Amino acid sequence: MNDGNVVRVKNLIKDYGAKNFKMRALKGIDLTVYSNDFIAIMGPSGSGKTTLLNILSTIDKPTLGEVFLGGRDIGKVSNRELAKIRRDKIGFIFQDYNLLDTMTLQDNIALPLALNGVSAKECIQRVEAVSGMFGLGEHLNKYPYQLSGGQKQRGAACRALITGPEILFADEPTGALDSKAGKDLLECLKNINESRNTAILMVTHDPFCASYAKDVYILSDGMIKCKISAGYSRKEFYDRIIDIQTSMGGDFS
């Protein structure tokens, strides 16, 4: 029984380095992500936010602590089971789009389904459905070099969502985009979170980007220092994020 949570971590600790020269990147993190959550992780450089994202998304393993995904302790599953969990339950958007230049946008988006043996007819139907939510219906037959940065990143988001994951991880998803393209992507992610109940956990240094989330967790020195929850307006939420950022030195790059 997981009470509707998608990801839960208990006393998460991550060390790097040799025995006598260890650096503790995470210092006992407790965090639960539910199916309708949209969470932004912020913090100064070296605070542990990318390390936390990598462990939650199963890219890395903790030194100590437990990570539960869909109610299962991923530290106790086989590599084969873990691969299936990654395939079926997790989507990931990177800062760099990682689209294949030799494939059309439609084929890039459909790739995870094709690798899973889904029929061509179903692939096309699902690509059309998700690409429509990201405003890409007219661009499916184009190659990545024919697309803008924003279109490529929205295509990468479609590819991450095409399998219907329970949670979408995003690592600085607007970092390579201009302000309009970044806003377009964030609006699409907000819509996906609300309409599909897909949990989103996003690492960002940008308060504007973070203001699209429902909750912002501020990390510092490997620990969660505070949580800020959205209020009645995004502008008010943005202002509160800025205030916290300023009080901690202002550098969340």
Side-chain angles (χ1 to χ4, degrees):
M1 187 76 177
N2 66 354
D3 298 323
N5 68 73
V6 180
V7 176
R8 181 166 57 94
V9 296
K10 297 171 61 179
N11 192 33
L12 201 64
I13 292 172
K14 180 64 178 181
D15 294 333
Y16 291 107
K19 184 176 181 180
N20 295 323
F21 300 95
K22 284 186 179 179
M23 188 276 289
R24 182 148 290 182
L26 297 177
K27 303 174 181 178
I29 298 285
D30 293 314
L31 178 65
T32 301
V33 183
Y34 293 93
S35 59
N36 64 341
D37 280 349
F38 188 165
I39 292 172
I41 304 291
M42 300 186 74
S45 178
S47 62
K49 54 187 184 292
T50 298
T51 299
L52 177 61
L53 180 73
N54 289 342
I55 292 175
L56 294 178
S57 61
T58 75
I59 291 173
D60 200 358
K61 295 181 178 180
T63 303
L64 293 170
E66 298 172 303
V67 181
F68 296 88
L69 191 57
R72 302 185 67 186
D73 184 347
I74 62 172
K76 296 180 180 179
V77 302
S78 67
N79 288 336
R80 184 174 182 178
E81 289 175 301
L82 185 57
K84 188 174 187 300
I85 289 171
R86 289 176 180 139
R87 184 191 71 192
D88 297 339
K89 297 185 180 297
I90 293 175
F92 209 117
I93 307 175
F94 299 92
Q95 182 173 329
D96 298 321
Y97 328 112
N98 291 340
L99 297 178
L100 299 176
D101 292 333
T102 57
M103 299 174 68
T104 64
L105 180 61
Q106 176 174 280
D107 290 341
N108 266 287
I109 295 171
L111 185 59
L113 297 179
L115 293 174
N116 289 341
V118 176
S119 69
K121 181 179 179 180
E122 185 177 348
C123 283
I124 292 171
Q125 290 174 340
R126 290 170 70 171
V127 168
E128 289 177 348
V130 72
S131 63
M133 298 184 74
F134 282 79
L136 293 171
E138 299 178 357
H139 304 286
L140 292 177
N141 291 321
K142 295 180 180 179
Y143 289 86
Y145 72 88
Q146 297 173 302
L147 302 171
S148 68
Q151 290 165 346
K152 285 188 280 190
Q153 189 64 307
R154 280 181 279 140
C158 289
R159 182 182 57 191
L161 290 161
I162 195 68
T163 59
E166 294 181 2
I167 185 165
L168 179 67
F169 293 100
D171 187 7
E172 299 282 5
T174 64
L177 305 180
D178 61 38
S179 58
K180 183 184 183 305
K183 182 178 179 181
D184 289 344
L185 174 66
L186 292 165
E187 291 285 358
C188 290
L189 293 178
K190 183 174 181 288
N191 183 37
I192 286 289
N193 171 251
E194 293 174 350
S195 63
R196 290 194 173 190
N197 230 26
T198 302
I200 299 175
L201 191 141
M202 170 178 67
V203 163
T204 181
H205 70 278
D206 182 1
F208 179 79
C209 183
S211 71
Y212 277 82
K214 295 175 180 175
D215 297 292
V216 175
Y217 287 84
I218 308 294
L219 265 63
S220 180
D221 194 27
M223 296 179 286
I224 295 175
K225 293 298 184 181
C226 67
K227 172 187 174 183
I228 318 168
S229 295
Y232 293 105
S233 75
R234 194 167 57 78
K235 173 64 168 61
E236 178 265 343
F237 192 29
Y238 170 81
D239 289 341
R240 284 192 286 135
I241 296 169
I242 288 288
D243 288 343
I244 292 291
Q245 187 178 32
T246 301
S247 71
M248 296 181 67
D251 181 13
F252 279 14
S253 61

